[in-house]
Amino acid sequence: MYSEEDYLMLSGIQHFAFCRRQWAIIHIEQQWAENYRTTAGELMHKKAHDEGSFEKRGSQLVVRGMRVSSRELGLSGQCDVVEFHQSENGVELFGYDEKWDPIPIEYKHGRPKENNADELQLCAQAICLEEMFQTDIAEGYLYYGESRRRVRVEFTDELRTKVKKMAGEMHDLFQKGYTPNVKKTKQCKACSLENLCIPKLEKTMKVREYIEQGIRDK
């Protein structure tokens, strides 16, 4: 179990799954850069995140921007949307006589990815909700802006194991303050941090050495 002061950002799961070096540059080195994908994604999340707002739609409650955390994972963050579906075997919510099943919904700007980064992030949200409400959550949904459709995600044992293993690796690297090396791949072209990361230079020198050399040469 992690203490609150050691919590890492839940959204980092997606960065870590995409590229461990990208995650370290953002979350350890505290560097960031925007491109079209990140800007469009941020705008979509702003629409989904109306923090603290909720509405009742028949047998459903819709909560936006809900803050979640997990002591087991040592992660905290926000869910874009959590839908509470009325259920006889669900959890109790303050102010309501009915019982409810929580289902996390994550909004993404583009289309389903080749890797499972989105699924891992959604599963991490579900684990947080399970811990907070002392319940089991079998599935959630990813909503993609390009297709305007939801994709069902089953929270399998395999997916849960990957999330827990990844969270442990994130904490290990964060405590060490270590930014991993990377091999240049085609996905580097889609990364907003390509110019900060400079993967081509990994064969000859580290990024920090490159920056220090540039300062000395001025």
Short mmCIF file of all heavy atoms in Angstrom, two decimals, residues 53-105:
data_model
loop_
_atom_site.label_atom_id
_atom_site.label_comp_id
_atom_site.label_asym_id
_atom_site.label_seq_id
_atom_site.Cartn_x
_atom_site.Cartn_y
_atom_site.Cartn_z
N SER A 53 -20.04 17.62 -11.51
CA SER A 53 -21.40 17.67 -12.03
C SER A 53 -21.97 16.27 -12.19
O SER A 53 -21.23 15.32 -12.44
CB SER A 53 -21.43 18.40 -13.38
OG SER A 53 -20.91 17.58 -14.40
N PHE A 54 -23.25 16.15 -12.03
CA PHE A 54 -23.89 14.86 -12.25
C PHE A 54 -25.32 15.09 -12.70
O PHE A 54 -25.90 16.15 -12.49
CB PHE A 54 -23.88 14.00 -10.98
CG PHE A 54 -24.73 14.55 -9.86
CD1 PHE A 54 -26.05 14.11 -9.70
CD2 PHE A 54 -24.24 15.49 -8.99
CE1 PHE A 54 -26.84 14.62 -8.68
CE2 PHE A 54 -25.03 16.00 -7.97
CZ PHE A 54 -26.32 15.56 -7.81
N GLU A 55 -25.85 14.09 -13.35
CA GLU A 55 -27.24 14.15 -13.78
C GLU A 55 -27.85 12.76 -13.70
O GLU A 55 -27.16 11.75 -13.80
CB GLU A 55 -27.34 14.70 -15.21
CG GLU A 55 -26.56 13.91 -16.23
CD GLU A 55 -26.65 14.52 -17.63
OE1 GLU A 55 -27.79 14.66 -18.11
OE2 GLU A 55 -25.60 14.84 -18.21
N LYS A 56 -29.14 12.72 -13.51
CA LYS A 56 -29.85 11.44 -13.43
C LYS A 56 -30.64 11.24 -14.71
O LYS A 56 -31.40 12.11 -15.13
CB LYS A 56 -30.79 11.43 -12.23
CG LYS A 56 -31.35 10.05 -11.89
CD LYS A 56 -32.11 10.08 -10.58
CE LYS A 56 -32.51 8.67 -10.13
NZ LYS A 56 -33.39 7.96 -11.07
N ARG A 57 -30.39 10.10 -15.35
CA ARG A 57 -31.11 9.75 -16.58
C ARG A 57 -31.83 8.43 -16.36
O ARG A 57 -31.27 7.36 -16.57
CB ARG A 57 -30.13 9.60 -17.74
CG ARG A 57 -29.30 10.84 -18.06
CD ARG A 57 -28.28 10.54 -19.13
NE ARG A 57 -27.43 11.67 -19.46
CZ ARG A 57 -26.36 11.60 -20.25
NH1 ARG A 57 -26.02 10.42 -20.79
NH2 ARG A 57 -25.63 12.67 -20.49
N GLY A 58 -33.06 8.52 -15.90
CA GLY A 58 -33.81 7.30 -15.64
C GLY A 58 -33.15 6.45 -14.58
O GLY A 58 -33.02 6.85 -13.43
N SER A 59 -32.68 5.28 -14.98
CA SER A 59 -32.05 4.35 -14.04
C SER A 59 -30.53 4.50 -14.03
O SER A 59 -29.82 3.60 -13.60
CB SER A 59 -32.42 2.90 -14.40
OG SER A 59 -31.97 2.58 -15.71
N GLN A 60 -30.03 5.66 -14.50
CA GLN A 60 -28.59 5.91 -14.52
C GLN A 60 -28.26 7.25 -13.87
O GLN A 60 -29.02 8.21 -13.98
CB GLN A 60 -28.06 5.92 -15.95
CG GLN A 60 -28.08 4.60 -16.66
CD GLN A 60 -27.44 4.69 -18.04
OE1 GLN A 60 -26.69 5.60 -18.33
NE2 GLN A 60 -27.76 3.73 -18.90
N LEU A 61 -27.10 7.29 -13.20
CA LEU A 61 -26.51 8.53 -12.74
C LEU A 61 -25.23 8.75 -13.53
O LEU A 61 -24.44 7.82 -13.72
CB LEU A 61 -26.17 8.46 -11.25
CG LEU A 61 -27.33 8.39 -10.25
CD1 LEU A 61 -26.78 8.18 -8.84
CD2 LEU A 61 -28.15 9.67 -10.30
N VAL A 62 -25.01 9.96 -14.02
CA VAL A 62 -23.81 10.28 -14.80
C VAL A 62 -23.00 11.32 -14.03
O VAL A 62 -23.48 12.44 -13.79
CB VAL A 62 -24.17 10.82 -16.20
CG1 VAL A 62 -22.89 11.13 -16.97
CG2 VAL A 62 -25.01 9.80 -16.96
N VAL A 63 -21.80 10.96 -13.62
CA VAL A 63 -20.91 11.84 -12.86
C VAL A 63 -19.69 12.15 -13.71
O VAL A 63 -19.04 11.25 -14.24
CB VAL A 63 -20.48 11.18 -11.53
CG1 VAL A 63 -19.59 12.14 -10.73
CG2 VAL A 63 -21.69 10.77 -10.72
N ARG A 64 -19.34 13.43 -13.85
CA ARG A 64 -18.22 13.85 -14.69
C ARG A 64 -17.06 14.37 -13.82
O ARG A 64 -17.28 15.00 -12.79
CB ARG A 64 -18.66 14.96 -15.65
CG ARG A 64 -19.81 14.54 -16.56
CD ARG A 64 -20.21 15.65 -17.51
NE ARG A 64 -21.40 15.27 -18.26
CZ ARG A 64 -21.38 14.52 -19.35
NH1 ARG A 64 -20.22 14.08 -19.82
NH2 ARG A 64 -22.49 14.21 -19.99
N GLY A 65 -15.85 14.10 -14.29
CA GLY A 65 -14.67 14.59 -13.60
C GLY A 65 -14.52 14.06 -12.19
O GLY A 65 -14.02 14.76 -11.31
N MET A 66 -14.91 12.83 -11.97
CA MET A 66 -14.87 12.25 -10.62
C MET A 66 -13.43 11.91 -10.23
O MET A 66 -12.71 11.25 -10.97
CB MET A 66 -15.73 10.97 -10.58
CG MET A 66 -15.78 10.32 -9.23
SD MET A 66 -16.93 8.91 -9.23
CE MET A 66 -16.71 8.34 -7.55
N ARG A 67 -13.02 12.37 -9.06
CA ARG A 67 -11.67 12.10 -8.57
C ARG A 67 -11.61 10.70 -7.95
O ARG A 67 -12.47 10.34 -7.15
CB ARG A 67 -11.25 13.16 -7.55
CG ARG A 67 -11.13 14.54 -8.17
CD ARG A 67 -10.48 15.53 -7.22
NE ARG A 67 -10.27 16.81 -7.90
CZ ARG A 67 -9.21 17.10 -8.64
NH1 ARG A 67 -8.25 16.20 -8.79
NH2 ARG A 67 -9.11 18.27 -9.22
N VAL A 68 -10.57 9.96 -8.33
CA VAL A 68 -10.42 8.59 -7.85
C VAL A 68 -8.97 8.37 -7.42
O VAL A 68 -8.06 9.10 -7.82
CB VAL A 68 -10.80 7.56 -8.94
CG1 VAL A 68 -12.28 7.68 -9.29
CG2 VAL A 68 -9.93 7.72 -10.18
N SER A 69 -8.75 7.32 -6.62
CA SER A 69 -7.40 6.98 -6.19
C SER A 69 -7.36 5.54 -5.72
O SER A 69 -8.40 4.93 -5.43
CB SER A 69 -6.93 7.92 -5.07
OG SER A 69 -7.76 7.78 -3.93
N SER A 70 -6.16 5.00 -5.63
CA SER A 70 -5.97 3.63 -5.16
C SER A 70 -4.69 3.56 -4.33
O SER A 70 -3.62 3.92 -4.80
CB SER A 70 -5.87 2.66 -6.34
OG SER A 70 -5.38 1.39 -5.92
N ARG A 71 -4.81 3.07 -3.10
CA ARG A 71 -3.63 2.87 -2.26
C ARG A 71 -2.81 1.68 -2.77
O ARG A 71 -1.60 1.67 -2.63
CB ARG A 71 -4.05 2.63 -0.82
CG ARG A 71 -4.68 3.84 -0.12
CD ARG A 71 -4.95 3.55 1.33
NE ARG A 71 -3.71 3.29 2.06
CZ ARG A 71 -3.65 2.71 3.25
NH1 ARG A 71 -4.78 2.29 3.83
NH2 ARG A 71 -2.50 2.52 3.85
N GLU A 72 -3.49 0.71 -3.35
CA GLU A 72 -2.78 -0.47 -3.87
C GLU A 72 -1.88 -0.09 -5.04
O GLU A 72 -0.73 -0.52 -5.12
CB GLU A 72 -3.78 -1.54 -4.30
CG GLU A 72 -3.09 -2.79 -4.86
CD GLU A 72 -4.07 -3.81 -5.41
OE1 GLU A 72 -5.27 -3.49 -5.53
OE2 GLU A 72 -3.63 -4.93 -5.72
N LEU A 73 -2.41 0.72 -5.97
CA LEU A 73 -1.64 1.12 -7.14
C LEU A 73 -0.75 2.33 -6.86
O LEU A 73 0.24 2.55 -7.57
CB LEU A 73 -2.58 1.46 -8.30
CG LEU A 73 -3.48 0.34 -8.83
CD1 LEU A 73 -4.38 0.87 -9.93
CD2 LEU A 73 -2.67 -0.85 -9.33
N GLY A 74 -1.11 3.13 -5.86
CA GLY A 74 -0.39 4.37 -5.61
C GLY A 74 -0.63 5.38 -6.71
O GLY A 74 0.26 6.12 -7.10
N LEU A 75 -1.88 5.43 -7.21
CA LEU A 75 -2.24 6.33 -8.31
C LEU A 75 -3.47 7.14 -7.92
O LEU A 75 -4.32 6.69 -7.15
CB LEU A 75 -2.56 5.53 -9.58
CG LEU A 75 -1.45 4.63 -10.15
CD1 LEU A 75 -1.99 3.87 -11.35
CD2 LEU A 75 -0.22 5.44 -10.53
N SER A 76 -3.57 8.34 -8.48
CA SER A 76 -4.76 9.16 -8.29
C SER A 76 -4.99 9.99 -9.55
O SER A 76 -4.06 10.26 -10.30
CB SER A 76 -4.63 10.09 -7.07
OG SER A 76 -3.60 11.04 -7.29
N GLY A 77 -6.24 10.36 -9.77
CA GLY A 77 -6.57 11.14 -10.95
C GLY A 77 -8.06 11.37 -11.06
O GLY A 77 -8.77 11.40 -10.06
N GLN A 78 -8.52 11.52 -12.30
CA GLN A 78 -9.93 11.76 -12.56
C GLN A 78 -10.44 10.82 -13.64
O GLN A 78 -9.70 10.48 -14.57
CB GLN A 78 -10.16 13.19 -13.03
CG GLN A 78 -10.12 14.25 -11.95
CD GLN A 78 -10.39 15.62 -12.52
OE1 GLN A 78 -9.58 16.18 -13.24
NE2 GLN A 78 -11.55 16.17 -12.20
N CYS A 79 -11.69 10.44 -13.51
CA CYS A 79 -12.39 9.73 -14.58
C CYS A 79 -13.13 10.76 -15.41
O CYS A 79 -13.76 11.67 -14.86
CB CYS A 79 -13.39 8.72 -14.02
SG CYS A 79 -12.65 7.37 -13.08
N ASP A 80 -13.09 10.63 -16.73
CA ASP A 80 -13.87 11.52 -17.57
C ASP A 80 -15.34 11.45 -17.16
O ASP A 80 -15.97 12.46 -16.87
CB ASP A 80 -13.73 11.14 -19.04
CG ASP A 80 -12.38 11.55 -19.61
OD1 ASP A 80 -11.69 12.38 -18.99
OD2 ASP A 80 -12.02 11.04 -20.68
N VAL A 81 -15.87 10.24 -17.17
CA VAL A 81 -17.27 10.01 -16.80
C VAL A 81 -17.36 8.68 -16.04
O VAL A 81 -16.69 7.71 -16.39
CB VAL A 81 -18.18 9.94 -18.04
CG1 VAL A 81 -19.61 9.54 -17.66
CG2 VAL A 81 -18.19 11.28 -18.78
N VAL A 82 -18.17 8.67 -15.00
CA VAL A 82 -18.55 7.41 -14.34
C VAL A 82 -20.06 7.32 -14.39
O VAL A 82 -20.76 8.21 -13.90
CB VAL A 82 -18.06 7.33 -12.89
CG1 VAL A 82 -18.50 6.00 -12.26
CG2 VAL A 82 -16.55 7.46 -12.81
N GLU A 83 -20.55 6.27 -15.02
CA GLU A 83 -21.99 6.02 -15.05
C GLU A 83 -22.33 5.03 -13.93
O GLU A 83 -21.68 4.00 -13.79
CB GLU A 83 -22.41 5.42 -16.40
CG GLU A 83 -22.33 6.40 -17.55
CD GLU A 83 -22.81 5.80 -18.86
OE1 GLU A 83 -23.10 4.58 -18.89
OE2 GLU A 83 -22.89 6.53 -19.84
N PHE A 84 -23.33 5.36 -13.15
CA PHE A 84 -23.83 4.46 -12.11
C PHE A 84 -25.15 3.89 -12.60
O PHE A 84 -26.14 4.62 -12.76
CB PHE A 84 -24.01 5.21 -10.79
CG PHE A 84 -22.71 5.61 -10.13
CD1 PHE A 84 -22.11 6.81 -10.46
CD2 PHE A 84 -22.10 4.77 -9.21
CE1 PHE A 84 -20.91 7.18 -9.86
CE2 PHE A 84 -20.90 5.13 -8.61
CZ PHE A 84 -20.30 6.34 -8.94
N HIS A 85 -25.16 2.59 -12.87
CA HIS A 85 -26.35 1.91 -13.36
C HIS A 85 -27.08 1.26 -12.18
O HIS A 85 -26.45 0.54 -11.39
CB HIS A 85 -25.99 0.85 -14.39
CG HIS A 85 -25.42 1.44 -15.65
ND1 HIS A 85 -25.35 0.74 -16.83
CD2 HIS A 85 -24.90 2.66 -15.93
CE1 HIS A 85 -24.81 1.50 -17.76
NE2 HIS A 85 -24.52 2.66 -17.24
N GLN A 86 -28.38 1.49 -12.10
CA GLN A 86 -29.17 0.95 -11.00
C GLN A 86 -29.12 -0.58 -11.03
O GLN A 86 -29.28 -1.21 -12.07
CB GLN A 86 -30.61 1.42 -11.11
CG GLN A 86 -31.43 1.22 -9.85
CD GLN A 86 -32.77 1.93 -9.94
OE1 GLN A 86 -32.87 3.00 -10.54
NE2 GLN A 86 -33.79 1.34 -9.35
N SER A 87 -28.86 -1.18 -9.85
CA SER A 87 -28.69 -2.63 -9.76
C SER A 87 -29.01 -3.10 -8.35
O SER A 87 -28.65 -2.44 -7.37
CB SER A 87 -27.25 -3.01 -10.11
OG SER A 87 -26.98 -4.36 -9.79
N GLU A 88 -29.67 -4.23 -8.25
CA GLU A 88 -30.03 -4.78 -6.94
C GLU A 88 -28.80 -5.15 -6.12
O GLU A 88 -28.81 -5.11 -4.89
CB GLU A 88 -30.93 -6.01 -7.10
CG GLU A 88 -32.32 -5.71 -7.66
CD GLU A 88 -33.17 -6.96 -7.75
OE1 GLU A 88 -32.68 -8.04 -7.36
OE2 GLU A 88 -34.33 -6.86 -8.20
N ASN A 89 -27.72 -5.53 -6.81
CA ASN A 89 -26.51 -5.97 -6.12
C ASN A 89 -25.41 -4.91 -6.13
O ASN A 89 -24.24 -5.21 -5.90
CB ASN A 89 -25.97 -7.25 -6.77
CG ASN A 89 -26.97 -8.39 -6.71
OD1 ASN A 89 -27.60 -8.60 -5.68
ND2 ASN A 89 -27.12 -9.09 -7.82
N GLY A 90 -25.79 -3.65 -6.40
CA GLY A 90 -24.81 -2.59 -6.51
C GLY A 90 -24.41 -1.99 -5.17
O GLY A 90 -24.67 -2.56 -4.10
N VAL A 91 -23.78 -0.82 -5.24
CA VAL A 91 -23.29 -0.14 -4.04
C VAL A 91 -24.28 0.95 -3.65
O VAL A 91 -25.07 1.43 -4.46
CB VAL A 91 -21.90 0.48 -4.28
CG1 VAL A 91 -20.90 -0.61 -4.64
CG2 VAL A 91 -21.95 1.53 -5.39
N GLU A 92 -24.22 1.34 -2.40
CA GLU A 92 -25.08 2.41 -1.90
C GLU A 92 -24.42 3.76 -2.13
O GLU A 92 -23.20 3.90 -1.98
CB GLU A 92 -25.36 2.21 -0.41
CG GLU A 92 -26.17 0.96 -0.11
CD GLU A 92 -26.49 0.82 1.37
OE1 GLU A 92 -25.98 1.65 2.15
OE2 GLU A 92 -27.23 -0.11 1.73
N LEU A 93 -25.21 4.75 -2.51
CA LEU A 93 -24.73 6.11 -2.70
C LEU A 93 -25.51 7.03 -1.78
O LEU A 93 -26.74 6.90 -1.65
CB LEU A 93 -24.90 6.55 -4.16
CG LEU A 93 -24.11 5.79 -5.22
CD1 LEU A 93 -24.42 6.35 -6.61
CD2 LEU A 93 -22.61 5.87 -4.95
N PHE A 94 -24.80 7.98 -1.18
CA PHE A 94 -25.44 8.91 -0.25
C PHE A 94 -26.54 9.70 -0.97
O PHE A 94 -26.32 10.26 -2.05
CB PHE A 94 -24.40 9.87 0.33
CG PHE A 94 -24.98 10.87 1.29
CD1 PHE A 94 -25.30 10.51 2.58
CD2 PHE A 94 -25.21 12.18 0.88
CE1 PHE A 94 -25.84 11.43 3.47
CE2 PHE A 94 -25.75 13.11 1.75
CZ PHE A 94 -26.07 12.73 3.05
N GLY A 95 -27.71 9.74 -0.38
CA GLY A 95 -28.81 10.52 -0.92
C GLY A 95 -29.73 9.74 -1.84
O GLY A 95 -30.71 10.29 -2.35
N TYR A 96 -29.42 8.45 -2.06
CA TYR A 96 -30.25 7.64 -2.95
C TYR A 96 -30.64 6.35 -2.25
O TYR A 96 -29.84 5.74 -1.54
CB TYR A 96 -29.50 7.31 -4.24
CG TYR A 96 -29.24 8.52 -5.11
CD1 TYR A 96 -28.06 9.25 -4.97
CD2 TYR A 96 -30.17 8.95 -6.05
CE1 TYR A 96 -27.81 10.37 -5.75
CE2 TYR A 96 -29.93 10.07 -6.83
CZ TYR A 96 -28.75 10.77 -6.68
OH TYR A 96 -28.51 11.89 -7.45
N ASP A 97 -31.89 5.93 -2.47
CA ASP A 97 -32.38 4.69 -1.87
C ASP A 97 -31.94 3.48 -2.69
O ASP A 97 -31.79 2.38 -2.15
CB ASP A 97 -33.91 4.70 -1.78
CG ASP A 97 -34.41 5.79 -0.83
OD1 ASP A 97 -33.70 6.08 0.15
OD2 ASP A 97 -35.50 6.34 -1.09
N GLU A 98 -31.71 3.69 -3.99
CA GLU A 98 -31.37 2.58 -4.87
C GLU A 98 -29.88 2.19 -4.69
O GLU A 98 -29.11 2.90 -4.06
CB GLU A 98 -31.61 2.94 -6.33
CG GLU A 98 -33.02 3.42 -6.64
CD GLU A 98 -33.18 4.92 -6.46
OE1 GLU A 98 -32.26 5.57 -5.91
OE2 GLU A 98 -34.24 5.44 -6.85
N LYS A 99 -29.52 1.05 -5.30
CA LYS A 99 -28.12 0.63 -5.35
C LYS A 99 -27.63 0.73 -6.79
O LYS A 99 -28.43 0.65 -7.73
CB LYS A 99 -27.97 -0.80 -4.82
CG LYS A 99 -28.25 -0.91 -3.32
CD LYS A 99 -27.98 -2.32 -2.80
CE LYS A 99 -28.19 -2.38 -1.30
NZ LYS A 99 -27.89 -3.73 -0.76
N TRP A 100 -26.30 0.86 -6.94
CA TRP A 100 -25.76 1.22 -8.25
C TRP A 100 -24.47 0.47 -8.57
O TRP A 100 -23.66 0.20 -7.69
CB TRP A 100 -25.48 2.72 -8.30
CG TRP A 100 -26.62 3.56 -7.83
CD1 TRP A 100 -26.93 3.88 -6.54
CD2 TRP A 100 -27.63 4.16 -8.64
NE1 TRP A 100 -28.06 4.66 -6.49
CE2 TRP A 100 -28.51 4.85 -7.78
CE3 TRP A 100 -27.87 4.19 -10.02
CZ2 TRP A 100 -29.61 5.56 -8.24
CZ3 TRP A 100 -28.96 4.90 -10.48
CH2 TRP A 100 -29.83 5.57 -9.60
N ASP A 101 -24.27 0.19 -9.86
CA ASP A 101 -23.02 -0.38 -10.37
C ASP A 101 -22.24 0.73 -11.08
O ASP A 101 -22.73 1.30 -12.05
CB ASP A 101 -23.29 -1.51 -11.37
CG ASP A 101 -23.74 -2.79 -10.70
OD1 ASP A 101 -23.41 -2.98 -9.52
OD2 ASP A 101 -24.42 -3.60 -11.37
N PRO A 102 -21.00 1.05 -10.63
CA PRO A 102 -20.20 2.07 -11.30
C PRO A 102 -19.51 1.53 -12.55
O PRO A 102 -18.97 0.42 -12.54
CB PRO A 102 -19.17 2.46 -10.23
CG PRO A 102 -19.05 1.25 -9.37
CD PRO A 102 -20.37 0.55 -9.40
N ILE A 103 -19.53 2.30 -13.63
CA ILE A 103 -18.89 1.92 -14.89
C ILE A 103 -18.09 3.12 -15.41
O ILE A 103 -18.68 4.16 -15.73
CB ILE A 103 -19.93 1.49 -15.94
CG1 ILE A 103 -20.71 0.27 -15.45
CG2 ILE A 103 -19.26 1.19 -17.28
CD1 ILE A 103 -21.81 -0.19 -16.39
N PRO A 104 -16.76 3.00 -15.51
CA PRO A 104 -15.95 4.13 -16.00
C PRO A 104 -16.03 4.27 -17.52
O PRO A 104 -16.03 3.28 -18.25
CB PRO A 104 -14.53 3.75 -15.55
CG PRO A 104 -14.54 2.25 -15.52
CD PRO A 104 -15.93 1.85 -15.11
N ILE A 105 -16.07 5.53 -17.98
CA ILE A 105 -16.08 5.85 -19.41
C ILE A 105 -14.93 6.83 -19.66
O ILE A 105 -14.86 7.87 -19.02
CB ILE A 105 -17.40 6.51 -19.85
CG1 ILE A 105 -18.62 5.81 -19.23
CG2 ILE A 105 -17.48 6.58 -21.37
CD1 ILE A 105 -18.86 4.42 -19.73
#
